[in-house]
CSV table of all heavy atoms in Angstrom, one decimal:
chain,number,residue,atom,x,y,z
A,244,ARG,N,-11.1,158.7,-18.9
A,244,ARG,CA,-10.4,159.0,-17.6
A,244,ARG,C,-9.4,157.9,-17.2
A,244,ARG,O,-8.6,158.1,-16.3
A,244,ARG,CB,-11.6,159.0,-16.4
A,244,ARG,CG,-12.4,160.2,-16.6
A,244,ARG,CD,-13.5,160.2,-15.4
A,244,ARG,NE,-14.3,161.5,-15.5
A,244,ARG,CZ,-15.2,161.8,-14.7
A,244,ARG,NH1,-15.5,161.0,-13.7
A,244,ARG,NH2,-15.9,162.9,-14.9
A,245,TYR,N,-9.5,156.8,-17.7
A,245,TYR,CA,-8.5,155.7,-17.5
A,245,TYR,C,-7.6,155.5,-18.7
A,245,TYR,O,-7.9,155.7,-19.8
A,245,TYR,CB,-9.3,154.4,-17.1
A,245,TYR,CG,-10.0,154.4,-15.8
A,245,TYR,CD1,-11.3,154.8,-15.7
A,245,TYR,CD2,-9.3,154.2,-14.6
A,245,TYR,CE1,-12.0,155.0,-14.5
A,245,TYR,CE2,-10.0,154.3,-13.4
A,245,TYR,CZ,-11.3,154.7,-13.4
A,245,TYR,OH,-11.9,154.8,-12.1
A,246,PRO,N,-6.4,155.0,-18.3
A,246,PRO,CA,-5.4,154.8,-19.4
A,246,PRO,C,-5.7,153.5,-20.2
A,246,PRO,O,-6.2,152.6,-19.7
A,246,PRO,CB,-4.0,154.7,-18.7
A,246,PRO,CG,-4.5,154.1,-17.3
A,246,PRO,CD,-5.9,154.7,-17.0
A,247,PRO,N,-5.2,153.6,-21.5
A,247,PRO,CA,-5.4,152.4,-22.3
A,247,PRO,C,-4.6,151.2,-21.8
A,247,PRO,O,-3.6,151.4,-21.1
A,247,PRO,CB,-4.9,152.8,-23.7
A,247,PRO,CG,-4.1,154.1,-23.5
A,247,PRO,CD,-4.7,154.7,-22.2
A,248,ALA,N,-5.1,150.0,-21.9
A,248,ALA,CA,-4.5,148.8,-21.4
A,248,ALA,C,-3.1,148.5,-22.1
A,248,ALA,O,-2.3,148.0,-21.5
A,248,ALA,CB,-5.4,147.6,-21.6
A,249,ALA,N,-3.0,149.1,-23.3
A,249,ALA,CA,-1.7,149.1,-24.0
A,249,ALA,C,-1.9,150.1,-25.2
A,249,ALA,O,-3.0,150.5,-25.5
A,249,ALA,CB,-1.5,147.7,-24.7
A,250,PRO,N,-0.8,150.6,-25.7
A,250,PRO,CA,-0.9,151.8,-26.6
A,250,PRO,C,-1.8,151.4,-27.8
A,250,PRO,O,-2.6,152.3,-28.2
A,250,PRO,CB,0.6,152.0,-27.1
A,250,PRO,CG,1.5,151.4,-25.9
A,250,PRO,CD,0.6,150.3,-25.3
A,251,GLU,N,-1.7,150.3,-28.2
A,251,GLU,CA,-2.5,149.8,-29.4
A,251,GLU,C,-4.0,149.6,-29.0
A,251,GLU,O,-4.8,149.4,-29.9
A,251,GLU,CB,-1.9,148.6,-30.1
A,251,GLU,CG,-2.0,147.3,-29.3
A,251,GLU,CD,-0.8,147.1,-28.3
A,251,GLU,OE1,-0.1,148.1,-28.0
A,251,GLU,OE2,-0.6,146.0,-27.9
A,252,LEU,N,-4.3,149.6,-27.8
A,252,LEU,CA,-5.7,149.4,-27.3
A,252,LEU,C,-6.4,150.7,-27.0
A,252,LEU,O,-7.5,150.7,-26.4
A,252,LEU,CB,-5.7,148.4,-26.1
A,252,LEU,CG,-5.3,147.0,-26.5
A,252,LEU,CD1,-5.4,146.1,-25.3
A,252,LEU,CD2,-6.1,146.4,-27.6
A,253,GLU,N,-5.9,151.9,-27.4
A,253,GLU,CA,-6.5,153.2,-27.1
A,253,GLU,C,-7.9,153.1,-27.8
A,253,GLU,O,-8.1,152.7,-28.9
A,253,GLU,CB,-5.7,154.2,-27.9
A,253,GLU,CG,-6.2,155.6,-27.9
A,253,GLU,CD,-5.6,156.4,-26.7
A,253,GLU,OE1,-4.4,156.4,-26.5
A,253,GLU,OE2,-6.5,157.0,-25.9
A,254,GLY,N,-8.9,153.6,-27.0
A,254,GLY,CA,-10.3,153.5,-27.4
A,254,GLY,C,-11.0,152.2,-27.4
A,254,GLY,O,-12.2,152.0,-27.8
A,255,ILE,N,-10.2,151.1,-27.0
A,255,ILE,CA,-10.8,149.8,-27.0
A,255,ILE,C,-10.8,149.2,-25.6
A,255,ILE,O,-11.9,148.7,-25.2
A,255,ILE,CB,-9.9,148.8,-27.9
A,255,ILE,CG1,-9.9,149.3,-29.3
A,255,ILE,CG2,-10.4,147.4,-27.9
A,255,ILE,CD1,-8.9,148.5,-30.2
A,256,ALA,N,-9.7,149.3,-24.8
A,256,ALA,CA,-9.7,148.7,-23.5
A,256,ALA,C,-8.8,149.6,-22.6
A,256,ALA,O,-7.9,150.1,-23.0
A,256,ALA,CB,-9.1,147.3,-23.6
Side-chain angles (χ1 to χ4, degrees):
R244 291 184 177 177
Y245 289 93
E251 68 275 15
L252 295 178
E253 178 93 51
I255 299 173

